[in-house]
Amino acid sequence: MANLSTHSSLQQIIITVTTIFLLSPSLPSASAVTETNRRPFEKIYAFGDSFTDTGNTASLTGPTGFVQVSNPPYGTTFFHHPTNRYSDGRLVIDFVAQALSLPFLPPYRKSKGNTASGVNFAVAGSTAINHDFFVKNNLSLDITPESIQTQMIWFNKYLQSQGCKGSESGPDCKEAFDDALFWVGEIGVNDYAYTLGSSVSDETIRKLAINSFTEFLQSLLKKGAKYVVVQALPATGCLPLAMTLAPSDDRDDIGCVKSVNNQSYTHNLVLQAKLSDLRKQFPQAVIVYADYWNAYRTVMKNPEKYGFKESFKACCGTGDPYNFDVFNTCGKPSVTACSNPSEYINWDGVHLTEAMYKAVANMFLNGNLSNPPFKTLLEKKQQKP
């Protein structure tokens, strides 16, 4: 495992940045010094799919293949009960919140007005492409109707509930956006998964998904988002689901499904190009690319360094060789979980363990797999009056 926790390492960065400003002659006033001692962000708005969803779905509303997220052993590691997170414990977004000294984000559907520190709009099963596309192509059998556009609709309704109506430069809108970090989790994996075996090409999905996602990001930036982190697609070819479905000769240098990892890699290349364009369109914003694909590969190449003993098998599941059966998934009465999830990368065949999410979050926040580094985002935030 890493020598420093995600929380403590980031706190050191925040303290270091604050110290720099305290010693800087460009900030001579007492009010400026007081400002640097505040938390870097007062709220987080999160978006994405099941890798980021902290409770917008439940067993009755989640993806058909994983309808037991409200049942044990989900949530067993940290919360000690199911929280409708698709893991044994915390997700990347939870570690981000803790590192920034903020509470866990309430899911939008269950926020009950408790949104002072932000809201999570991510929803499991969500796609980048609008749901209508899948309906028109007869691919809607196993998906939830939410997309990234749905999450934008929810966000707009939330803004209206905060008094942000009409002019986005008004005081109520300014309050909603000031001191806010926008964390956009991975989105697009489901788009490819839902078209598996159909006549719809990867190229079509990639083009439509990236275009839709870019429009979503543009909307956030036009509304006033200044600090945005965008997660890439992970190395999805390493998930037990992909390993189970793909032929055994379809493998890459780390033993994962080559065709699926190439799919995610190509998607991420196009995404990075779009983010580069957005940085030019919105020079006042800091847009960070969080490289989930390489973060996952980094762990897979040297799992022992991060405390993992099992790279491919799911902790919670059944069946050989990857402890995963698509028809008998985690949360069902007949399915059990391992006793040591912290030694597993994968939790239920598709989603990751808390330990893996923690390792990935640490790379994003304290490592070199964010571009520009998250430390740079914090520094620029601290420079703002």
Side-chain angles (χ1 to χ4, degrees), residues 201-233:
S201 68
D202 284 357
E203 184 178 356
T204 296
I205 293 299
R206 183 164 54 250
K207 180 179 179 180
L208 293 175
I210 292 289
N211 286 346
S212 176
F213 186 54
T214 302
E215 290 176 3
F216 166 81
L217 293 175
Q218 285 176 324
S219 295
L220 288 181
L221 293 161
K222 287 178 180 178
K223 289 177 183 297
K226 295 292 191 297
Y227 305 96
V228 183
V229 177
V230 179
Q231 288 184 190
L233 301 190

Side-chain angles (χ1 to χ4, degrees), residues 77-373:
T77 293
F78 181 81
F79 301 99
H80 307 300
H81 62 85
T83 63
N84 293 318
R85 286 168 171 81
Y86 288 79
S87 181
D88 60 308
R90 291 164 289 182
L91 314 178
V92 167
I93 190 60
D94 294 314
F95 289 109
V96 171
Q98 286 186 302
L100 294 173
S101 300
L102 292 170
F104 296 134
L105 298 183
Y108 170 73
R109 283 174 163 169
K110 304 171 186 175
S111 57
K112 298 179 181 178
N114 183 26
T115 61
S117 298
V119 191
N120 191 336
F121 300 93
V123 56
S126 185
T127 54
I129 303 171
N130 194 286
H131 179 65
D132 289 344
F133 169 83
F134 299 96
V135 174
K136 290 177 181 177
N137 286 277
N138 296 316
L139 298 169
S140 59
L141 177 64
D142 190 38
I143 70 171
T144 49
E146 288 82 17
S147 67
I148 197 69
Q149 289 88 353
T150 307
Q151 296 176 44
M152 178 57 74
I153 292 170
W154 290 352
F155 181 57
N156 287 334
K157 288 182 178 178
Y158 164 77
L159 290 177
Q160 291 176 7
S161 73
Q162 301 301 299
C164 180
K165 302 174 182 177
S167 174
E168 291 169 351
S169 60
D172 290 321
C173 295
K174 190 173 185 297
E175 183 178 347
F177 283 87
D178 279 359
D179 294 325
L181 173 66
F182 288 77
W183 192 280
V184 186
E186 57 137 72
I187 192 85
V189 171
N190 292 322
D191 299 72
Y192 292 104
Y194 297 152
T195 54
L196 184 66
S198 74
S199 60
V200 180
S201 68
D202 284 357
E203 184 178 356
T204 296
I205 293 299
R206 183 164 54 250
K207 180 179 179 180
L208 293 175
I210 292 289
N211 286 346
S212 176
F213 186 54
T214 302
E215 290 176 3
F216 166 81
L217 293 175
Q218 285 176 324
S219 295
L220 288 181
L221 293 161
K222 287 178 180 178
K223 289 177 183 297
K226 295 292 191 297
Y227 305 96
V228 183
V229 177
V230 179
Q231 288 184 190
L233 301 190
T236 49
C238 299
L239 302 176
L241 172 63
M243 299 287 289
T244 299
L245 297 178
S248 58
D249 60 349
D250 183 7
R251 297 292 184 266
D252 60 14
D253 60 314
I254 56 174
C256 300
V257 180
K258 183 177 182 179
S259 60
V260 178
N261 271 352
N262 285 347
Q263 182 186 75
S264 297
Y265 178 78
T266 304
H267 182 101
N268 290 337
L269 287 179
V270 179
L271 173 60
Q272 290 178 78
K274 291 294 185 181
L275 294 183
S276 181
D277 291 340
L278 288 174
R279 292 186 185 107
K280 296 174 184 176
Q281 294 175 38
F282 302 92
Q284 77 283 4
V286 182
I287 304 173
V288 173
Y289 174 76
D291 193 348
Y292 216 139
W293 196 84
N294 274 310
Y296 204 122
R297 280 179 59 88
T298 297
V299 176
M300 290 294 293
K301 288 179 178 179
N302 191 2
E304 294 81 7
K305 177 182 177 181
Y306 300 92
F308 297 113
K309 295 181 179 179
E310 180 51 64
S311 299
F312 292 106
K313 288 184 178 181
C315 169
C316 182
T318 185
D320 293 325
Y322 303 111
N323 200 38
F324 177 74
D325 181 348
V326 70
F327 299 109
N328 198 22
T329 53
C330 185
K332 289 187 176 180
S334 61
V335 178
T336 59
C338 64
S339 60
N340 51 342
S342 65
E343 296 178 358
Y344 282 68
I345 289 175
N346 195 277
W347 167 244
D348 62 5
V350 171
H351 310 98
L352 311 180
T353 60
E354 176 183 276
M356 181 60 169
Y357 285 129
K358 182 177 183 180
V360 170
N362 193 47
M363 291 185 211
F364 290 164
L365 299 176
N366 304 309
N368 60 357
L369 288 179
S370 290
N371 181 31

Side-chain angles (χ1 to χ4, degrees), residues 8-18 365-366 375 378:
S8 62
S9 298
L10 189 59
Q11 288 298 318
Q12 286 187 347
I13 292 173
I14 295 171
I15 292 170
T16 300
V17 171
T18 302
L365 299 176
N366 304 309
K375 177 181 177 181
L378 285 178

